[in-house]
Amino acid sequence: MLNKRIETAINEQIKKEEFSSRLYLSMAIWCEVNGFPGAATFLYRQSDEERMHQLKLVHYVNDRSGQAALMALEQPQAEYKSLQDVFKQVMDHEQYITASINELYGITLEEKDYTTGNFLQWYINEQIEEESTMSTILDKISLVGADKAGMFHIDKELETMTANAPAL
Ligand code: OFO
């Protein structure tokens, strides 16, 4: 049985994962209509992945005799300055999510809920991976700068990366 403090904290995280999914969907839409089909494919998948993160938490709360709760979400940003702007914001958002997962983990330690702490290890590892992927992409984008051919190449690479990614 989950204690109330943990249940509330996980429900907050459910909201953040759901928002992540919507944010990446919004970014995917922008990329698709602004000539970056590869980045769009990558971000559509990223959006699905966040939805999977959300569901995993929902099932965890319900399986531990709690009740997952959905909350109102803010509208995600729709317009971006450039592909670099998109990925800078992805990176900032992932860092924010990492901090949030760490905080949640800290609460499980305070409450001596080692089962939930153990469950959260998966998210801790996932954040390491996501931050590293996003920082690699961001480095490449920064490297090509305004070069159109370079940007085209990166977009193609994002398409290939997504095609080779494991099924969700
Ligand atoms: Fe849910 O991992 Fe990204 O945000």
Side-chain angles (χ1 to χ4, degrees):
M1 180 92 186
L2 282 180
N3 86 26
K4 266 290 155 205
R5 186 176 175 217
I6 302 270
E7 182 183 281
T8 305
I10 300 179
N11 279 332
E12 278 295 330
Q13 191 63 37
I14 287 173
K15 177 189 179 190
K16 289 174 188 166
E17 300 292 341
E18 190 178 7
F19 179 75
S20 304
S21 177
R22 286 197 82 194
L23 178 65
Y24 297 159
L25 182 58
S26 181
M27 290 171 168
I29 292 167
W30 184 88
C31 288
E32 192 163 40
V33 303
N34 283 280
F36 300 110
T41 305
F42 176 86
L43 287 162
Y44 279 125
R45 184 187 181 280
Q46 211 55 38
S47 171
D48 286 345
E49 193 164 330
E50 297 302 343
R51 159 102 175 138
M52 184 269 278
H53 295 171
Q54 179 200 1
L55 276 182
K56 207 174 162 79
L57 290 166
V58 164
H59 293 312
Y60 180 76
V61 172
N62 292 347
D63 287 348
R64 296 282 316 276
S65 306
Q67 181 166 349
L70 300 183
M71 299 175 205
L73 297 177
E74 317 82 78
Q75 187 173 3
Q77 185 177 328
E79 297 301 330
Y80 298 88
K81 289 198 283 278
S82 60
L83 194 64
Q84 186 172 34
D85 180 33
V86 169
F87 279 92
K88 258 192 189 144
Q89 294 204 38
V90 171
M91 190 64 197
D92 287 350
H93 187 72
E94 285 304 325
Q95 284 169 344
Y96 159 74
I97 294 293
T98 299
S100 171
I101 295 283
N102 287 341
E103 211 174 292
L104 183 55
Y105 184 71
I107 295 173
T108 66
L109 293 184
E110 280 169 28
E111 296 293 325
K112 297 192 172 20
D113 180 350
Y114 302 117
T115 309
T116 301
N118 204 28
F119 165 77
L120 288 176
Q121 284 299 329
W122 184 88
Y123 284 84
I124 292 170
N125 293 332
E126 181 71 14
Q127 284 311 118
I128 295 171
E129 236 177 76
E130 290 204 334
E131 279 196 32
S132 142
T133 305
M134 298 314 167
S135 122
T136 307
I137 295 169
L138 203 48
D139 284 350
K140 285 184 182 173
I141 294 175
S142 308
L143 212 64
V144 302
D147 179 54
K148 287 228 166 75
M151 223 25 129
F152 179 79
H153 193 75
I154 286 174
D155 192 59
K156 279 268 162 256
E157 217 178 305
L158 286 168
E159 183 95 60
T160 310
M161 255 174 93
T162 313
N164 294 335
L168 293 173

